[in-house]
Amino acid sequence: MTHAHHEVVNPATGEVIETVPATSAAEVDAAVARAAKAQEGWAAAAPADRARLLRRFAGVVDEHIEELARLEVREAGHTIGNARWEAGNVRDLLDFAAGGVERLTGRQIPVAGGLDITILEPLGVIGVIAPWNFPMPIAAWGTAPALAAGNAVLLKPAETTPLTALRLAELALEAGLPEHLFQVLPGAGDVTGNALVEHPGVAKIVFTGSTRVGKSIMATSAPLVKRVTLELGGKSPNIVFADSDLQAAAAATPMSFLDNSGQDCCARTRILVQRSVYDRFLDLLAPAIESVVVGDPADEKTQMGPLISQIQLDRVRSYVPDDLPGIRGSAPDGPGFWFAPTVLTDIAPDAPAACEEVFGPVAAVLPFDDEADAIRLANATDYGLSGSIWTRDIGRALRVSRAVAAGNLSVNSHSSVRYSTPFGGYKQSGLGRELGPDALTAFTETKNVFISTEA
Ligand code: NAD
């Protein structure tokens, strides 16, 4: 047994709000055994009953939206408006997954001499390793479809944000989900997380986090040929063509990289602007950046809160020396981990802030000459998660959508994530897809069965 603990800090004040015990490797082992037992019963239950229980779980989450949201404001510094959406997203994910339980159909394939069918079987015990930037939604993206497909789930939340995950596990029991089917195991990545990845009883790891850790999880999974879904980093472009509605493009730009204080893998942190409208765009963008309301995340009017931790604040600062030219908004002084909205102008395309994931409220703006130049710049990165294209020319919108190597693109919008549409990265932004119509299939094996009619 371990006596290790994690302190949970309110990022808006720097105060310790809770201490949470960490899960040792031996405790992970015991949790896997309990989960495996619970999974057998769950997989054998009638699909309609599994669906009903997941709907009930969604209903209980719905009754606790405000409580979950307030908890996320305290442990993660999310604005209250965002936190309510995030808790609602958990409910919606559970509802959507519940609808899939009775629609998880195999196929019947024409063959000679018999009947051929495919059966989609659950994998067993799934390990979900979540980051701190969207603790509730990302936990639910893995958990809800995995449970719906007949699996058990062991969720390891990030060290800094375990509280909403622990509460969700309590709500699952309140809703009547079988004991041990969904367990939350707080702890350090290299101890608790690693124990899940190395455990032969865990069939698949769904990991969201940094590209560095994602690569190490893939390597650790290789000897067991363990399945992985990886959602990693991004450096997504926001491509503004001269023929776009420039006012609308400028008005939408601040929150495209400032939402969640820029701690968003889909943040549009490379603003690519056609040279002929570059100056005009910056004139429109400056007042929009300066007027973003940064402050107490519990205040309904706040648009941007603090960064998650001192470590993250130091990391963001290291990318932005004071003498770098740019547009800067405002942020509170004093306790808490605050950084003002920042758009870096006159920055070299190969400068660290222009090509590495900062994971803070910082974007770089770069000019381009024509469509080919925009595509070249957009793709000049190892990442490929998201991107936006602003143009009134529908042909151009489609050409550029096809040419940009990224998993989630939006035209004249910055939307990335809906539970009903697939989400995931190209290149080093990830492996596999979450959400969308095929969400449950990612938690199954396909078994093909041929039945001879000749015998
Ligand atoms: P991180 O990679 O350090 O940690 C993510 C999770 O992995 C945490 O729960 C951590 O405890 C765990 N972990 C760390 N080392 C581990 C190991 N050796 N074995 C098993 N688990 C381990 O990332 P972070 O700092 O929490 O999150 C920020 C990063 O996540 C950013 O780089 C961001 O781009 C990325 N991210 C990507 C997406 C996406 O969907 N693509 C979403 C959110 C965040």
Side-chain angles (χ1 to χ4, degrees):
M1 287 297 248
T2 177
H3 300 286
H5 286 76
H6 286 288
E7 286 185 339
V8 182
V9 172
N10 180 337
T13 64
E15 286 164 1
V16 176
I17 53 170
E18 187 94 43
T19 304
V20 172
T23 314
S24 68
E27 288 164 333
V28 169
D29 194 40
V32 172
R34 290 193 298 267
K37 203 157 182 320
Q39 191 267 333
E40 281 178 24
W42 181 243
D49 291 338
R50 292 209 309 260
R52 193 171 301 115
L53 279 172
L54 289 174
R55 266 187 218 108
R56 233 183 254 165
F57 187 10
V60 173
V61 170
D62 191 49
E63 288 160 15
H64 292 81
I65 297 280
E66 193 62 23
E67 180 202 326
L68 289 164
R70 298 266 162 208
L71 201 52
E72 206 63 289
V73 172
R74 290 183 72 219
E75 75 168 342
H78 288 195
T79 61
I80 182 65
N82 277 14
R84 285 188 188 118
W85 180 90
E86 290 159 21
N89 188 243
V90 177
R91 171 204 54 213
D92 295 345
L93 249 301
L94 287 165
D95 259 331
F96 184 64
V101 175
E102 292 171 283
R103 295 174 178 82
L104 193 57
T105 50
R107 298 162 121 178
Q108 180 265 308
I109 300 166
V111 289
L115 179 72
D116 194 283
I117 56 169
T118 64
I119 306 171
L120 301 184
E121 299 190 333
L123 295 171
V125 178
I126 308 296
V128 176
I129 300 177
W132 45 260
N133 62 336
F134 290 106
M136 280 193 281
I138 291 173
W141 297 359
T143 301
L147 291 175
N151 303 279
V153 172
L154 299 175
L155 166 64
K156 198 211 78 70
E159 291 88 325
T160 37
T161 55
L163 300 184
T164 45
L166 288 164
R167 187 69 185 120
L168 285 172
E170 291 172 358
L171 297 180
L173 288 179
E174 200 178 312
L177 251 70
E179 221 187 347
H180 308 314
L181 185 71
F182 170 46
Q183 300 173 59
V184 173
L185 311 175
D190 56 1
V191 180
T192 315
N194 190 58
L196 282 172
V197 180
E198 286 186 336
H199 202 294
V202 175
K204 176 169 184 167
I205 294 289
V206 180
F207 169 80
T208 303
S210 60
T211 297
R212 182 184 63 79
V213 173
K215 287 177 183 179
S216 85
I217 285 179
M218 202 170 170
T220 309
S221 299
L224 291 168
V225 198
K226 187 169 294 195
R227 281 78 178 121
V228 288
T229 294
L230 304 174
E231 299 287 0
L232 310 175
K235 190 74 186 175
S236 296
N238 169 12
I239 311 170
V240 181
F241 285 98
D243 66 15
S244 67
D245 178 341
L246 218 55
Q247 295 238 356
T253 290
M255 294 320 287
S256 78
F257 73 95
L258 297 176
D259 194 61
N260 205 30
S261 309
Q263 302 165 126
D264 181 340
C265 47
C266 290
R268 292 354 187 223
T269 50
R270 290 187 299 143
I271 309 169
L272 312 181
V273 184
Q274 195 152 15
R275 203 178 297 276
S276 57
V277 294
Y278 186 82
D279 290 339
R280 168 104 184 98
F281 181 81
L282 287 191
D283 287 346
L284 291 167
L285 183 61
I289 294 288
E290 285 153 9
S291 64
V292 171
V293 183
V294 182
D296 178 3
D299 187 328
E300 304 276 344
K301 290 190 286 298
T302 295
Q303 291 174 281
M304 191 185 112
L307 292 164
I308 187 74
S309 62
Q310 185 66 46
I311 293 173
Q312 195 61 16
L313 178 59
D314 293 343
R315 193 177 125 82
V316 173
R317 276 192 185 134
S318 75
Y319 280 102
V320 190
D322 286 340
D323 55 353
L324 268 189
I327 304 165
R328 287 184 172 79
S330 59
D333 298 322
F337 314 122
W338 302 97
F339 196 88
T342 301
V343 176
L344 299 169
T345 52
D346 301 308
I347 184 166
D350 59 353
C355 52
E356 292 175 21
E357 184 174 53
V358 177
F359 230 51
V362 180
V365 58
L366 299 164
F368 67 84
D369 292 315
D370 55 18
E371 196 176 303
D373 196 26
I375 292 165
R376 183 190 58 75
L377 263 176
N379 285 336
T381 169
D382 288 334
Y383 292 119
L385 193 54
S386 298
S388 306
I389 299 147
W390 290 79
T391 175
R392 286 187 171 110
D393 178 336
I394 192 163
R396 164 169 286 157
L398 286 171
R399 281 194 305 274
V400 178
S401 295
R402 286 187 175 136
V404 174
N408 313 275
L409 295 172
S410 51
V411 174
N412 296 330
S413 148
H414 292 298
S415 118
S416 289
V417 179
R418 289 184 182 78
Y419 60 80
S420 56
T421 59
F423 178 78
Y426 276 44
K427 302 195 272 185
Q428 293 186 28
S429 282
L431 184 68
R433 292 292 179 272
E434 298 189 87
L435 311 177
D438 303 322
L440 272 61
T441 320
F443 297 98
T444 62
E445 287 288 6
T446 301
K447 181 175 282 175
N448 192 70
V449 179
F450 170 75
I451 305 153
S452 171
T453 47
E454 309 292 303

